[in-house]
């Protein structure tokens, strides 16, 4: 900020020296001189130097109350609400959000599972008579049974599982064939012994 003020004072000094007996420049003249000075190579270098200055960059940080308030107003407005609704309807967006938050959610759950007070609260919550009745209803409900049947059917029809099913059937078939071969051999021996 000091450097920017220094450049401004330097430009004013130059403008004052060149005028000689002229009256002080008007606002428009001063504005034109400033824009001309900024557009020169020296002006551009000075601006680049100012922009990289840590003190100046601190002034541009988005922690100003006005900036915070405007961001909140935009995000919490009707337009912002519509934006988030449409954004979360996109499966790719929701997937990327879920993936980005997965580690934090897992860490939170791990911390909670190790927390004794959280465990007591969960035990108390699920140990309530009303809650136990609800859980029993859910477990014995026709809807859950249908869901379980569907899950089993999906698992059976899964391409990954079909290869395993074939392998198990082949093993079972080989085992049955070997057992029947052994039984047939035993039957022949018994027939021969009986003669």
């Amino acid at each position: 900020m000091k450097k920017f003020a220094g450049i401004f004072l330097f430009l004013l000094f130059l403008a004052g020296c060149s005028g000689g007996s002229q009256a002080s420049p008007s606002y428009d003249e001063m504005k034109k001189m400033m824009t001309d000075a900024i557009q020169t190579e020296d002006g551009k270098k000075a601006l680049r130097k100012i922009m990289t200055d840590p003190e100046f960059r601190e002034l541009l940080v988005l922690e100003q109350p006005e900036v915070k308030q405007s961001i909140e107003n935009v995000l919490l407005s009707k337009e912002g609400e519509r934006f988030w609704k449409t954004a979360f309807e996109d499966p790719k967006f929701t997937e990327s959000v879920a993936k980005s938050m997965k580690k934090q959610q897992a860490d939170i759950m791990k911390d909670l599972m190790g927390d004794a007070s959280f465990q007591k609260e969960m035990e108390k919550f699920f140990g309530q008579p009303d809650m136990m009745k609800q859980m029993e209803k859910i477990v014995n409900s026709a809807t859950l049974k249908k869901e379980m049947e569907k899950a089993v059917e999906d698992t059976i029809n899964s391409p990954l599982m079909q290869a395993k099913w074939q392998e198990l059937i082949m093993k079972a078939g080989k085992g049955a064939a070997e057992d029947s071969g052994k039984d047939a051999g035993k039957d022949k021996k018994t027939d021969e012994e009986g003669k």
Side-chain angles (χ1 to χ4, degrees):
M1 192 68 184
K2 292 176 184 176
K3 291 178 182 180
F4 188 68
I7 291 172
F8 181 71
L9 290 174
F10 177 71
L11 291 172
L12 281 176
F13 176 73
L14 285 176
C17 290
S18 66
S21 62
Q22 281 186 344
S24 63
S26 68
Y27 171 77
D28 290 332
E29 290 170 344
M30 182 64 76
K31 182 177 166 184
K32 187 175 181 334
M33 283 190 295
M34 287 296 290
T35 48
D36 288 345
I38 289 172
Q39 289 176 358
T40 63
E41 280 303 312
D42 290 339
K44 288 177 184 176
K45 283 180 187 175
L47 281 175
R48 282 189 206 109
K49 195 173 183 182
I50 288 171
M51 293 302 234
T52 56
D53 181 27
E55 288 178 26
F56 183 75
R57 292 186 94 178
E58 280 181 28
L59 296 173
L60 300 176
V61 174
L62 297 178
E63 291 185 5
Q64 305 299 327
E66 297 85 16
V67 175
K68 277 186 177 179
Q69 187 177 1
S70 61
I71 289 172
E72 285 174 7
N73 290 342
V74 169
L75 291 178
L76 302 176
S77 67
K78 292 287 181 192
E79 292 83 15
E81 195 176 315
R82 270 184 255 141
F83 165 77
W84 288 116
K85 278 183 182 175
T86 52
F88 276 100
E89 286 171 3
D90 179 17
K92 288 181 181 176
F93 179 77
T94 52
E95 182 185 6
S96 62
V97 168
K99 281 182 181 176
S100 69
M101 297 172 68
K102 189 175 181 179
K103 188 184 181 308
Q104 289 86 349
Q105 289 175 341
D107 291 343
I108 289 169
M109 288 307 292
K110 283 177 187 173
D111 289 345
L112 286 174
M113 295 311 267
D115 185 13
S117 61
F118 178 75
Q119 288 175 350
K120 283 180 186 175
E121 288 295 320
M122 291 298 284
E123 286 173 17
K124 197 160 91 176
F125 176 72
F126 285 111
Q128 295 173 6
D130 293 342
M131 192 62 197
M132 291 181 85
K133 283 179 188 175
Q134 287 295 326
M135 291 292 284
E136 191 177 330
K137 257 189 206 175
I138 291 167
V139 169
N140 294 326
S141 72
T143 311
L144 182 68
K145 287 179 183 175
K146 282 181 186 174
E147 288 296 320
M148 291 293 286
E149 286 172 8
K150 188 178 182 304
V152 169
E153 191 177 318
D154 290 346
T155 304
I156 290 170
N157 293 331
S158 165
L160 298 172
M161 290 301 293
Q162 284 183 355
K164 289 182 182 178
W165 293 124
Q166 285 178 341
E167 188 180 318
L168 288 171
I169 291 169
M170 295 292 279
K171 282 182 182 176
K174 283 181 185 176
E178 287 174 6
D179 288 344
S180 65
K182 288 178 185 175
D183 289 341
K186 285 181 186 177
D187 289 341
K188 280 184 180 178
K189 285 182 184 177
T190 6
D191 285 344
E192 290 173 4
E193 289 172 3
K195 289 181 182 178

